[in-house]
Short mmCIF file of all heavy atoms in Angstrom, two decimals:
data_model
loop_
_atom_site.label_atom_id
_atom_site.label_comp_id
_atom_site.label_asym_id
_atom_site.label_seq_id
_atom_site.Cartn_x
_atom_site.Cartn_y
_atom_site.Cartn_z
N ASP A 15 62.57 117.13 96.79
CA ASP A 15 61.67 117.45 95.69
C ASP A 15 61.52 118.95 95.42
O ASP A 15 60.70 119.37 94.61
CB ASP A 15 60.29 116.84 95.94
CG ASP A 15 59.65 117.36 97.21
OD1 ASP A 15 60.36 118.03 97.98
OD2 ASP A 15 58.46 117.08 97.44
N LYS A 72 59.37 110.45 102.59
CA LYS A 72 58.23 111.34 102.55
C LYS A 72 57.04 110.82 103.36
O LYS A 72 56.39 111.58 104.07
CB LYS A 72 57.80 111.59 101.09
CG LYS A 72 58.78 112.43 100.31
CD LYS A 72 58.87 113.81 100.92
CE LYS A 72 59.91 114.65 100.21
NZ LYS A 72 60.07 115.96 100.87
N GLU A 75 57.94 111.18 107.05
CA GLU A 75 58.14 112.57 107.43
C GLU A 75 56.82 113.33 107.49
O GLU A 75 56.60 114.16 108.36
CB GLU A 75 59.10 113.26 106.46
CG GLU A 75 60.55 112.85 106.60
CD GLU A 75 61.09 113.18 107.98
OE1 GLU A 75 60.84 114.29 108.47
OE2 GLU A 75 61.74 112.31 108.57
N ASN A 76 55.94 113.08 106.53
CA ASN A 76 54.67 113.80 106.48
C ASN A 76 53.79 113.52 107.68
O ASN A 76 52.89 114.30 108.01
CB ASN A 76 53.91 113.46 105.19
CG ASN A 76 54.54 114.12 103.97
OD1 ASN A 76 55.36 115.01 104.10
ND2 ASN A 76 54.17 113.66 102.79
N ASN A 77 54.02 112.39 108.34
CA ASN A 77 53.21 112.03 109.49
C ASN A 77 53.82 112.48 110.82
O ASN A 77 53.27 112.18 111.88
CB ASN A 77 53.00 110.50 109.52
CG ASN A 77 52.09 110.04 108.39
OD1 ASN A 77 51.16 110.76 108.02
ND2 ASN A 77 52.36 108.87 107.84
N LYS A 78 54.93 113.17 110.78
CA LYS A 78 55.57 113.66 112.00
C LYS A 78 55.07 115.06 112.31
O LYS A 78 55.00 115.93 111.43
CB LYS A 78 57.09 113.70 111.83
CG LYS A 78 57.77 112.35 111.93
CD LYS A 78 59.29 112.55 111.89
CE LYS A 78 60.04 111.25 112.04
NZ LYS A 78 61.51 111.45 112.00
N LYS A 83 59.67 116.09 114.98
CA LYS A 83 60.75 116.48 114.08
C LYS A 83 61.92 117.10 114.84
O LYS A 83 63.09 116.88 114.51
CB LYS A 83 60.23 117.46 113.03
CG LYS A 83 59.38 116.81 111.94
CD LYS A 83 58.83 117.84 110.98
CE LYS A 83 58.11 117.18 109.82
NZ LYS A 83 59.03 116.52 108.88
N ASP A 118 61.95 119.98 105.41
CA ASP A 118 60.58 120.21 104.96
C ASP A 118 59.82 121.25 105.78
O ASP A 118 58.76 121.69 105.37
CB ASP A 118 59.78 118.90 104.98
CG ASP A 118 60.25 117.94 103.90
OD1 ASP A 118 60.66 118.41 102.84
OD2 ASP A 118 60.23 116.72 104.14
N GLU A 144 56.42 125.19 111.15
CA GLU A 144 55.27 124.52 110.55
C GLU A 144 55.72 123.24 109.85
O GLU A 144 56.64 123.26 109.03
CB GLU A 144 54.58 125.43 109.54
CG GLU A 144 53.99 126.69 110.13
CD GLU A 144 53.33 127.57 109.09
OE1 GLU A 144 52.43 127.07 108.39
OE2 GLU A 144 53.74 128.74 108.97
N SER A 145 55.06 122.13 110.19
CA SER A 145 55.28 120.87 109.48
C SER A 145 54.11 120.66 108.53
O SER A 145 53.25 121.52 108.38
CB SER A 145 55.38 119.71 110.47
OG SER A 145 54.11 119.44 111.05
N LYS A 146 54.06 119.50 107.90
CA LYS A 146 52.95 119.20 106.99
C LYS A 146 51.63 119.09 107.72
O LYS A 146 50.56 119.30 107.14
CB LYS A 146 53.23 117.90 106.24
CG LYS A 146 54.48 117.92 105.38
CD LYS A 146 54.33 118.79 104.16
CE LYS A 146 55.58 118.68 103.28
NZ LYS A 146 55.49 119.55 102.09
N ILE A 147 51.69 118.74 109.03
CA ILE A 147 50.44 118.47 109.74
C ILE A 147 50.14 119.42 110.90
O ILE A 147 49.02 119.42 111.41
CB ILE A 147 50.40 117.02 110.25
CG1 ILE A 147 51.50 116.80 111.30
CG2 ILE A 147 50.52 116.03 109.11
CD1 ILE A 147 51.39 115.43 111.98
N ASP A 148 51.12 120.21 111.36
CA ASP A 148 50.81 121.14 112.46
C ASP A 148 51.78 122.30 112.49
O ASP A 148 52.72 122.39 111.68
CB ASP A 148 50.79 120.40 113.80
CG ASP A 148 52.18 119.97 114.28
OD1 ASP A 148 53.09 119.88 113.43
OD2 ASP A 148 52.34 119.71 115.48
#
Side-chain angles (χ1 to χ4, degrees):
D15 61 350
K72 290 297 176 184
E75 287 299 315
N76 286 346
N77 291 325
K78 283 186 178 180
K83 285 177 174 289
D118 290 327
E144 297 180 56
S145 71
K146 299 288 185 182
I147 64 172
D148 71 339

